[in-house]
Amino acid sequence: MDSQKVVRGLLIRGMLAGLAAGVLMFVFAKVFGEPSIDRAIAFEEATSPPSDEAPLVSRTMQASLGLLTGTIVYAVAVGGVFALVFAAVFGRVGHARPRVTAATLALVAFAVIVLVPFLKYPSNPPAVGADETIASRTQNYFVMLLLSVVAAFAALRVGRDAVKRLGAWNGTLVAVGSYIALMVISQLLMPSLDETPAGFSASVIYDFRLATLGTHAVLYATLGLGFGALAERWISQVRPAAAGTYRTSSLSARAPHS
């Protein structure tokens, strides 16, 4: 019953942290992402024949309420999943305090879920990419994402065995090296895509991709720091006997099992 209470509390706090992250993502995307989207749409309208069909959702709505709704729904969902993963690994992978565990988990999640797949298949603004290849491009991206997640689990397994034989530092290096090696092979085997139309501004693509990475970085930074603080306070409340354990920032501080 105690474990169920802890997990339920973590889930609620993960979704609350996700809500805050969604608002921050909206602000970041509005400031840094929307200008490049507007420039890409202007290019598309200037080089494509005009359409007789009115858009289902106006551009103003897309860039305001639509963007806000999308970032909040996405961030709350990710925050809930993040909290459940935290509950599964806390006290079982290493013995760090909740804040350190959450920050580490956020950093790993950003690298595995966002950064590594992005390196092979970066996001593109409107007007980049043919309509007939949308399905194949989407499929390739999700295959790359799946390979990254599988490689991360494989590297974790290798790393845990290596830690027992070589120690924490060398075992961690083995795990990271294993993941990098698996992803280099995966990226070499996956097909490459280049559908940038002639005359399209390279700066628009660069700004859009940088804004995309930044928006996701805001999400995982908020979860790692915000949820970490909430989780540490919550765990200390429901398990008062362990509260003294978290007064130190030592990575070696032993955490109670969930």
Side-chain angles (χ1 to χ4, degrees), residues 84-104:
L84 294 178
V85 175
F86 172 90
V89 304
F90 176 61
R92 295 181 175 88
V93 180
H95 302 296
R97 58 188 288 185
R99 288 191 180 192
V100 176
T101 301
T104 303

mmCIF file with all atom_site columns, all heavy atoms in Angstrom, residues 84-104:
data_model
loop_
_atom_site.group_PDB
_atom_site.id
_atom_site.type_symbol
_atom_site.label_atom_id
_atom_site.label_alt_id
_atom_site.label_comp_id
_atom_site.label_asym_id
_atom_site.label_entity_id
_atom_site.label_seq_id
_atom_site.pdbx_PDB_ins_code
_atom_site.Cartn_x
_atom_site.Cartn_y
_atom_site.Cartn_z
_atom_site.occupancy
_atom_site.B_iso_or_equiv
_atom_site.pdbx_formal_charge
_atom_site.auth_seq_id
_atom_site.auth_comp_id
_atom_site.auth_asym_id
_atom_site.auth_atom_id
_atom_site.pdbx_PDB_model_num
ATOM 1   N N   . LEU A 1 84  ? 6.520  7.576  -13.877 1.00 0.00 ? 84  LEU A N   1
ATOM 2   C CA  . LEU A 1 84  ? 6.429  6.127  -13.724 1.00 0.00 ? 84  LEU A CA  1
ATOM 3   C C   . LEU A 1 84  ? 7.784  5.464  -13.925 1.00 0.00 ? 84  LEU A C   1
ATOM 4   O O   . LEU A 1 84  ? 8.144  4.522  -13.201 1.00 0.00 ? 84  LEU A O   1
ATOM 5   C CB  . LEU A 1 84  ? 5.406  5.559  -14.713 1.00 0.00 ? 84  LEU A CB  1
ATOM 6   C CG  . LEU A 1 84  ? 3.950  5.986  -14.480 1.00 0.00 ? 84  LEU A CG  1
ATOM 7   C CD1 . LEU A 1 84  ? 3.055  5.403  -15.555 1.00 0.00 ? 84  LEU A CD1 1
ATOM 8   C CD2 . LEU A 1 84  ? 3.469  5.557  -13.092 1.00 0.00 ? 84  LEU A CD2 1
ATOM 9   N N   . VAL A 1 85  ? 8.557  5.950  -14.898 1.00 0.00 ? 85  VAL A N   1
ATOM 10  C CA  . VAL A 1 85  ? 9.902  5.404  -15.106 1.00 0.00 ? 85  VAL A CA  1
ATOM 11  C C   . VAL A 1 85  ? 10.780 5.722  -13.902 1.00 0.00 ? 85  VAL A C   1
ATOM 12  O O   . VAL A 1 85  ? 11.560 4.881  -13.429 1.00 0.00 ? 85  VAL A O   1
ATOM 13  C CB  . VAL A 1 85  ? 10.518 5.961  -16.401 1.00 0.00 ? 85  VAL A CB  1
ATOM 14  C CG1 . VAL A 1 85  ? 11.965 5.502  -16.555 1.00 0.00 ? 85  VAL A CG1 1
ATOM 15  C CG2 . VAL A 1 85  ? 9.701  5.518  -17.611 1.00 0.00 ? 85  VAL A CG2 1
ATOM 16  N N   . PHE A 1 86  ? 10.650 6.931  -13.376 1.00 0.00 ? 86  PHE A N   1
ATOM 17  C CA  . PHE A 1 86  ? 11.402 7.311  -12.176 1.00 0.00 ? 86  PHE A CA  1
ATOM 18  C C   . PHE A 1 86  ? 11.071 6.372  -11.027 1.00 0.00 ? 86  PHE A C   1
ATOM 19  O O   . PHE A 1 86  ? 11.973 5.906  -10.306 1.00 0.00 ? 86  PHE A O   1
ATOM 20  C CB  . PHE A 1 86  ? 11.072 8.755  -11.797 1.00 0.00 ? 86  PHE A CB  1
ATOM 21  C CG  . PHE A 1 86  ? 11.648 9.189  -10.470 1.00 0.00 ? 86  PHE A CG  1
ATOM 22  C CD1 . PHE A 1 86  ? 12.904 9.762  -10.411 1.00 0.00 ? 86  PHE A CD1 1
ATOM 23  C CD2 . PHE A 1 86  ? 10.927 9.020  -9.298  1.00 0.00 ? 86  PHE A CD2 1
ATOM 24  C CE1 . PHE A 1 86  ? 13.446 10.163 -9.190  1.00 0.00 ? 86  PHE A CE1 1
ATOM 25  C CE2 . PHE A 1 86  ? 11.458 9.414  -8.085  1.00 0.00 ? 86  PHE A CE2 1
ATOM 26  C CZ  . PHE A 1 86  ? 12.720 9.978  -8.021  1.00 0.00 ? 86  PHE A CZ  1
ATOM 27  N N   . ALA A 1 87  ? 9.782  6.088  -10.836 1.00 0.00 ? 87  ALA A N   1
ATOM 28  C CA  . ALA A 1 87  ? 9.374  5.191  -9.757  1.00 0.00 ? 87  ALA A CA  1
ATOM 29  C C   . ALA A 1 87  ? 9.965  3.800  -9.935  1.00 0.00 ? 87  ALA A C   1
ATOM 30  O O   . ALA A 1 87  ? 10.276 3.118  -8.959  1.00 0.00 ? 87  ALA A O   1
ATOM 31  C CB  . ALA A 1 87  ? 7.848  5.106  -9.704  1.00 0.00 ? 87  ALA A CB  1
ATOM 32  N N   . ALA A 1 88  ? 10.137 3.383  -11.196 1.00 0.00 ? 88  ALA A N   1
ATOM 33  C CA  . ALA A 1 88  ? 10.678 2.049  -11.468 1.00 0.00 ? 88  ALA A CA  1
ATOM 34  C C   . ALA A 1 88  ? 12.174 1.961  -11.218 1.00 0.00 ? 88  ALA A C   1
ATOM 35  O O   . ALA A 1 88  ? 12.680 0.924  -10.785 1.00 0.00 ? 88  ALA A O   1
ATOM 36  C CB  . ALA A 1 88  ? 10.357 1.642  -12.907 1.00 0.00 ? 88  ALA A CB  1
ATOM 37  N N   . VAL A 1 89  ? 12.907 3.043  -11.473 1.00 0.00 ? 89  VAL A N   1
ATOM 38  C CA  . VAL A 1 89  ? 14.372 2.976  -11.381 1.00 0.00 ? 89  VAL A CA  1
ATOM 39  C C   . VAL A 1 89  ? 14.916 3.536  -10.074 1.00 0.00 ? 89  VAL A C   1
ATOM 40  O O   . VAL A 1 89  ? 16.040 3.214  -9.696  1.00 0.00 ? 89  VAL A O   1
ATOM 41  C CB  . VAL A 1 89  ? 15.037 3.729  -12.560 1.00 0.00 ? 89  VAL A CB  1
ATOM 42  C CG1 . VAL A 1 89  ? 14.553 3.190  -13.886 1.00 0.00 ? 89  VAL A CG1 1
ATOM 43  C CG2 . VAL A 1 89  ? 14.777 5.235  -12.473 1.00 0.00 ? 89  VAL A CG2 1
ATOM 44  N N   . PHE A 1 90  ? 14.134 4.355  -9.375  1.00 0.00 ? 90  PHE A N   1
ATOM 45  C CA  . PHE A 1 90  ? 14.650 4.999  -8.172  1.00 0.00 ? 90  PHE A CA  1
ATOM 46  C C   . PHE A 1 90  ? 15.001 3.956  -7.105  1.00 0.00 ? 90  PHE A C   1
ATOM 47  O O   . PHE A 1 90  ? 14.175 3.136  -6.718  1.00 0.00 ? 90  PHE A O   1
ATOM 48  C CB  . PHE A 1 90  ? 13.635 5.983  -7.601  1.00 0.00 ? 90  PHE A CB  1
ATOM 49  C CG  . PHE A 1 90  ? 14.067 6.611  -6.303  1.00 0.00 ? 90  PHE A CG  1
ATOM 50  C CD1 . PHE A 1 90  ? 15.222 7.367  -6.248  1.00 0.00 ? 90  PHE A CD1 1
ATOM 51  C CD2 . PHE A 1 90  ? 13.323 6.437  -5.146  1.00 0.00 ? 90  PHE A CD2 1
ATOM 52  C CE1 . PHE A 1 90  ? 15.631 7.954  -5.060  1.00 0.00 ? 90  PHE A CE1 1
ATOM 53  C CE2 . PHE A 1 90  ? 13.730 7.013  -3.957  1.00 0.00 ? 90  PHE A CE2 1
ATOM 54  C CZ  . PHE A 1 90  ? 14.880 7.770  -3.910  1.00 0.00 ? 90  PHE A CZ  1
ATOM 55  N N   . GLY A 1 91  ? 16.237 3.996  -6.622  1.00 0.00 ? 91  GLY A N   1
ATOM 56  C CA  . GLY A 1 91  ? 16.689 3.072  -5.607  1.00 0.00 ? 91  GLY A CA  1
ATOM 57  C C   . GLY A 1 91  ? 17.131 1.728  -6.143  1.00 0.00 ? 91  GLY A C   1
ATOM 58  O O   . GLY A 1 91  ? 17.623 0.893  -5.393  1.00 0.00 ? 91  GLY A O   1
ATOM 59  N N   . ARG A 1 92  ? 16.969 1.520  -7.453  1.00 0.00 ? 92  ARG A N   1
ATOM 60  C CA  . ARG A 1 92  ? 17.344 0.236  -8.039  1.00 0.00 ? 92  ARG A CA  1
ATOM 61  C C   . ARG A 1 92  ? 18.533 0.365  -8.988  1.00 0.00 ? 92  ARG A C   1
ATOM 62  O O   . ARG A 1 92  ? 19.298 -0.572 -9.153  1.00 0.00 ? 92  ARG A O   1
ATOM 63  C CB  . ARG A 1 92  ? 16.156 -0.367 -8.782  1.00 0.00 ? 92  ARG A CB  1
ATOM 64  C CG  . ARG A 1 92  ? 14.998 -0.729 -7.856  1.00 0.00 ? 92  ARG A CG  1
ATOM 65  C CD  . ARG A 1 92  ? 13.835 -1.355 -8.624  1.00 0.00 ? 92  ARG A CD  1
ATOM 66  N NE  . ARG A 1 92  ? 12.792 -1.805 -7.717  1.00 0.00 ? 92  ARG A NE  1
ATOM 67  C CZ  . ARG A 1 92  ? 11.795 -1.047 -7.285  1.00 0.00 ? 92  ARG A CZ  1
ATOM 68  N NH1 . ARG A 1 92  ? 11.728 0.213  -7.682  1.00 0.00 ? 92  ARG A NH1 1
ATOM 69  N NH2 . ARG A 1 92  ? 10.884 -1.522 -6.461  1.00 0.00 ? 92  ARG A NH2 1
ATOM 70  N N   . VAL A 1 93  ? 18.662 1.508  -9.641  1.00 0.00 ? 93  VAL A N   1
ATOM 71  C CA  . VAL A 1 93  ? 19.818 1.773  -10.494 1.00 0.00 ? 93  VAL A CA  1
ATOM 72  C C   . VAL A 1 93  ? 20.652 2.844  -9.804  1.00 0.00 ? 93  VAL A C   1
ATOM 73  O O   . VAL A 1 93  ? 20.381 4.042  -9.916  1.00 0.00 ? 93  VAL A O   1
ATOM 74  C CB  . VAL A 1 93  ? 19.382 2.241  -11.897 1.00 0.00 ? 93  VAL A CB  1
ATOM 75  C CG1 . VAL A 1 93  ? 20.602 2.506  -12.767 1.00 0.00 ? 93  VAL A CG1 1
ATOM 76  C CG2 . VAL A 1 93  ? 18.478 1.200  -12.546 1.00 0.00 ? 93  VAL A CG2 1
ATOM 77  N N   . GLY A 1 94  ? 21.643 2.435  -9.066  1.00 0.00 ? 94  GLY A N   1
ATOM 78  C CA  . GLY A 1 94  ? 22.420 3.372  -8.275  1.00 0.00 ? 94  GLY A CA  1
ATOM 79  C C   . GLY A 1 94  ? 21.689 3.720  -6.989  1.00 0.00 ? 94  GLY A C   1
ATOM 80  O O   . GLY A 1 94  ? 20.598 3.232  -6.714  1.00 0.00 ? 94  GLY A O   1
ATOM 81  N N   . HIS A 1 95  ? 22.271 4.593  -6.183  1.00 0.00 ? 95  HIS A N   1
ATOM 82  C CA  . HIS A 1 95  ? 21.685 4.941  -4.887  1.00 0.00 ? 95  HIS A CA  1
ATOM 83  C C   . HIS A 1 95  ? 21.680 6.455  -4.700  1.00 0.00 ? 95  HIS A C   1
ATOM 84  O O   . HIS A 1 95  ? 21.942 6.949  -3.611  1.00 0.00 ? 95  HIS A O   1
ATOM 85  C CB  . HIS A 1 95  ? 22.459 4.262  -3.760  1.00 0.00 ? 95  HIS A CB  1
ATOM 86  C CG  . HIS A 1 95  ? 22.500 2.775  -3.877  1.00 0.00 ? 95  HIS A CG  1
ATOM 87  N ND1 . HIS A 1 95  ? 21.372 1.982  -3.797  1.00 0.00 ? 95  HIS A ND1 1
ATOM 88  C CD2 . HIS A 1 95  ? 23.536 1.926  -4.104  1.00 0.00 ? 95  HIS A CD2 1
ATOM 89  C CE1 . HIS A 1 95  ? 21.705 0.709  -3.932  1.00 0.00 ? 95  HIS A CE1 1
ATOM 90  N NE2 . HIS A 1 95  ? 23.013 0.653  -4.134  1.00 0.00 ? 95  HIS A NE2 1
ATOM 91  N N   . ALA A 1 96  ? 21.410 7.193  -5.762  1.00 0.00 ? 96  ALA A N   1
ATOM 92  C CA  . ALA A 1 96  ? 21.397 8.651  -5.682  1.00 0.00 ? 96  ALA A CA  1
ATOM 93  C C   . ALA A 1 96  ? 20.094 9.145  -5.073  1.00 0.00 ? 96  ALA A C   1
ATOM 94  O O   . ALA A 1 96  ? 19.065 8.453  -5.082  1.00 0.00 ? 96  ALA A O   1
ATOM 95  C CB  . ALA A 1 96  ? 21.584 9.252  -7.073  1.00 0.00 ? 96  ALA A CB  1
ATOM 96  N N   . ARG A 1 97  ? 20.112 10.358 -4.561  1.00 0.00 ? 97  ARG A N   1
ATOM 97  C CA  . ARG A 1 97  ? 18.914 10.994 -4.011  1.00 0.00 ? 97  ARG A CA  1
ATOM 98  C C   . ARG A 1 97  ? 17.925 11.272 -5.134  1.00 0.00 ? 97  ARG A C   1
ATOM 99  O O   . ARG A 1 97  ? 18.292 11.273 -6.317  1.00 0.00 ? 97  ARG A O   1
ATOM 100 C CB  . ARG A 1 97  ? 19.287 12.268 -3.265  1.00 0.00 ? 97  ARG A CB  1
ATOM 101 C CG  . ARG A 1 97  ? 20.008 13.277 -4.124  1.00 0.00 ? 97  ARG A CG  1
ATOM 102 C CD  . ARG A 1 97  ? 20.532 14.437 -3.316  1.00 0.00 ? 97  ARG A CD  1
ATOM 103 N NE  . ARG A 1 97  ? 19.456 15.306 -2.862  1.00 0.00 ? 97  ARG A NE  1
ATOM 104 C CZ  . ARG A 1 97  ? 19.669 16.457 -2.217  1.00 0.00 ? 97  ARG A CZ  1
ATOM 105 N NH1 . ARG A 1 97  ? 20.904 16.837 -1.948  1.00 0.00 ? 97  ARG A NH1 1
ATOM 106 N NH2 . ARG A 1 97  ? 18.663 17.208 -1.842  1.00 0.00 ? 97  ARG A NH2 1
ATOM 107 N N   . PRO A 1 98  ? 16.649 11.524 -4.825  1.00 0.00 ? 98  PRO A N   1
ATOM 108 C CA  . PRO A 1 98  ? 15.633 11.700 -5.867  1.00 0.00 ? 98  PRO A CA  1
ATOM 109 C C   . PRO A 1 98  ? 15.957 12.793 -6.888  1.00 0.00 ? 98  PRO A C   1
ATOM 110 O O   . PRO A 1 98  ? 15.730 12.611 -8.083  1.00 0.00 ? 98  PRO A O   1
ATOM 111 C CB  . PRO A 1 98  ? 14.375 12.045 -5.064  1.00 0.00 ? 98  PRO A CB  1
ATOM 112 C CG  . PRO A 1 98  ? 14.586 11.386 -3.744  1.00 0.00 ? 98  PRO A CG  1
ATOM 113 C CD  . PRO A 1 98  ? 16.055 11.493 -3.475  1.00 0.00 ? 98  PRO A CD  1
ATOM 114 N N   . ARG A 1 99  ? 16.483 13.930 -6.446  1.00 0.00 ? 99  ARG A N   1
ATOM 115 C CA  . ARG A 1 99  ? 16.782 15.014 -7.382  1.00 0.00 ? 99  ARG A CA  1
ATOM 116 C C   . ARG A 1 99  ? 17.848 14.601 -8.394  1.00 0.00 ? 99  ARG A C   1
ATOM 117 O O   . ARG A 1 99  ? 17.738 14.900 -9.584  1.00 0.00 ? 99  ARG A O   1
ATOM 118 C CB  . ARG A 1 99  ? 17.250 16.254 -6.623  1.00 0.00 ? 99  ARG A CB  1
ATOM 119 C CG  . ARG A 1 99  ? 16.146 16.955 -5.864  1.00 0.00 ? 99  ARG A CG  1
ATOM 120 C CD  . ARG A 1 99  ? 16.611 18.302 -5.357  1.00 0.00 ? 99  ARG A CD  1
ATOM 121 N NE  . ARG A 1 99  ? 15.557 18.987 -4.611  1.00 0.00 ? 99  ARG A NE  1
ATOM 122 C CZ  . ARG A 1 99  ? 15.607 20.262 -4.256  1.00 0.00 ? 99  ARG A CZ  1
ATOM 123 N NH1 . ARG A 1 99  ? 16.677 20.987 -4.560  1.00 0.00 ? 99  ARG A NH1 1
ATOM 124 N NH2 . ARG A 1 99  ? 14.620 20.816 -3.572  1.00 0.00 ? 99  ARG A NH2 1
ATOM 125 N N   . VAL A 1 100 ? 18.868 13.913 -7.918  1.00 0.00 ? 100 VAL A N   1
ATOM 126 C CA  . VAL A 1 100 ? 19.937 13.469 -8.813  1.00 0.00 ? 100 VAL A CA  1
ATOM 127 C C   . VAL A 1 100 ? 19.418 12.412 -9.773  1.00 0.00 ? 100 VAL A C   1
ATOM 128 O O   . VAL A 1 100 ? 19.733 12.422 -10.965 1.00 0.00 ? 100 VAL A O   1
ATOM 129 C CB  . VAL A 1 100 ? 21.130 12.939 -8.000  1.00 0.00 ? 100 VAL A CB  1
ATOM 130 C CG1 . VAL A 1 100 ? 22.205 12.382 -8.923  1.00 0.00 ? 100 VAL A CG1 1
ATOM 131 C CG2 . VAL A 1 100 ? 21.703 14.037 -7.121  1.00 0.00 ? 100 VAL A CG2 1
ATOM 132 N N   . THR A 1 101 ? 18.589 11.503 -9.264  1.00 0.00 ? 101 THR A N   1
ATOM 133 C CA  . THR A 1 101 ? 18.010 10.467 -10.116 1.00 0.00 ? 101 THR A CA  1
ATOM 134 C C   . THR A 1 101 ? 17.143 11.078 -11.210 1.00 0.00 ? 101 THR A C   1
ATOM 135 O O   . THR A 1 101 ? 17.234 10.695 -12.380 1.00 0.00 ? 101 THR A O   1
ATOM 136 C CB  . THR A 1 101 ? 17.161 9.492  -9.277  1.00 0.00 ? 101 THR A CB  1
ATOM 137 O OG1 . THR A 1 101 ? 17.972 8.889  -8.276  1.00 0.00 ? 101 THR A OG1 1
ATOM 138 C CG2 . THR A 1 101 ? 16.567 8.405  -10.155 1.00 0.00 ? 101 THR A CG2 1
ATOM 139 N N   . ALA A 1 102 ? 16.296 12.054 -10.848 1.00 0.00 ? 102 ALA A N   1
ATOM 140 C CA  . ALA A 1 102 ? 15.423 12.690 -11.826 1.00 0.00 ? 102 ALA A CA  1
ATOM 141 C C   . ALA A 1 102 ? 16.220 13.455 -12.873 1.00 0.00 ? 102 ALA A C   1
ATOM 142 O O   . ALA A 1 102 ? 15.916 13.393 -14.071 1.00 0.00 ? 102 ALA A O   1
ATOM 143 C CB  . ALA A 1 102 ? 14.441 13.626 -11.122 1.00 0.00 ? 102 ALA A CB  1
ATOM 144 N N   . ALA A 1 103 ? 17.248 14.190 -12.436 1.00 0.00 ? 103 ALA A N   1
ATOM 145 C CA  . ALA A 1 103 ? 18.067 14.952 -13.387 1.00 0.00 ? 103 ALA A CA  1
ATOM 146 C C   . ALA A 1 103 ? 18.813 14.023 -14.341 1.00 0.00 ? 103 ALA A C   1
ATOM 147 O O   . ALA A 1 103 ? 18.891 14.286 -15.548 1.00 0.00 ? 103 ALA A O   1
ATOM 148 C CB  . ALA A 1 103 ? 19.052 15.838 -12.629 1.00 0.00 ? 103 ALA A CB  1
ATOM 149 N N   . THR A 1 104 ? 19.347 12.937 -13.808 1.00 0.00 ? 104 THR A N   1
ATOM 150 C CA  . THR A 1 104 ? 20.055 11.976 -14.657 1.00 0.00 ? 104 THR A CA  1
ATOM 151 C C   . THR A 1 104 ? 19.107 11.316 -15.638 1.00 0.00 ? 104 THR A C   1
ATOM 152 O O   . THR A 1 104 ? 19.425 11.157 -16.823 1.00 0.00 ? 104 THR A O   1
ATOM 153 C CB  . THR A 1 104 ? 20.734 10.902 -13.787 1.00 0.00 ? 104 THR A CB  1
ATOM 154 O OG1 . THR A 1 104 ? 21.615 11.538 -12.850 1.00 0.00 ? 104 THR A OG1 1
ATOM 155 C CG2 . THR A 1 104 ? 21.524 9.932  -14.646 1.00 0.00 ? 104 THR A CG2 1
#
